[in-house]
Amino acid sequence: MQRATDALVWWIGGFVAAEGCFSATEIGAHRRFTFQVGLGASDTSVCETLQEALGIGRLVTYERRRAHYDDEIAFVVTRMRDLVEVIVPFMDAHLPDSYKKIQYETWREELISYWTNKARRRRPCRLDRCSLTAVAHGLCRAHLWSEMGR
């Protein structure tokens, strides 16, 4: 949040209360959590401001669905770590009391529960001084192969 001013973060909170979307969808045995703000393409600068201020997420563009509609742009955050470490603390501090906040609190509860109990996260190798990512049994690929070769 170093890039955003105090006035900007409160504006973002209010804007999310009006235009934000917090969703969770089932994908097989897993859940996918999303925070999104979708607007007409003429408001691209708003989505760019959100991305720049929060320092995460991506911008996605969509062609118009009907001839008289505008093209669309969305600021989207799906990376679980970004949702937990950036979106949740930001919304806890800056989302004003509203119906959107009630929706957010339900979404946050599901997200944190999933993150704590079911999310698959990359962990480092359990052997001291090894900074590689564990692939199985808490070991990186090199240590796993050496253990299997014994």
Side-chain angles (χ1 to χ4, degrees):
M1 290 314 321
Q2 300 157 346
R3 293 177 246 176
T5 65
D6 199 39
L8 179 60
V9 296
W10 287 107
W11 175 85
I12 291 172
F15 194 81
V16 168
E19 300 292 336
C21 177
F22 301 95
S23 63
T25 52
E26 298 285 334
I27 302 173
H30 303 286
R31 292 191 65 124
R32 180 180 183 104
F33 292 86
T34 304
F35 165 67
Q36 175 175 318
V37 174
L39 301 169
S42 59
D43 294 320
T44 296
S45 63
V46 174
C47 287
E48 289 170 344
T49 299
L50 293 171
Q51 184 183 36
E52 184 179 322
L54 295 171
I56 57 170
R58 66 187 193 286
L59 301 178
V60 180
T61 57
Y62 303 97
E63 290 187 23
R64 62 190 70 208
R65 292 176 284 160
R66 296 196 177 152
H68 62 283
Y69 284 11
D70 191 4
D71 292 340
E72 297 176 14
I73 186 160
F75 167 67
V76 181
V77 180
T78 56
R79 184 172 177 246
M80 183 85 58
R81 185 172 301 279
D82 290 343
L83 293 169
V84 171
E85 294 178 358
V86 178
I87 297 298
V88 167
F90 182 88
M91 295 304 159
D92 284 348
H94 297 60
L95 191 62
D97 289 337
S98 59
Y99 184 69
K100 185 66 68 181
K101 187 166 187 172
I102 295 167
Q103 293 174 329
Y104 159 73
E105 289 169 344
T106 301
W107 175 85
R108 179 191 61 201
E109 191 174 310
E110 291 177 34
L111 170 69
I112 298 301
S113 175
Y114 187 83
W115 173 257
T116 305
N117 300 312
K118 297 180 182 178
R120 185 171 178 203
R121 294 188 290 273
R122 298 191 184 271
R123 293 179 170 80
C125 180
R126 64 180 161 86
L127 297 182
D128 290 341
R129 299 190 182 125
C130 182
S131 61
L132 298 174
T133 301
V135 293
H137 307 288
L139 299 170
C140 66
R141 193 171 308 280
H143 289 118
L144 181 62
W145 288 345
S146 66
E147 288 286 320
M148 292 174 66
R150 289 187 181 176

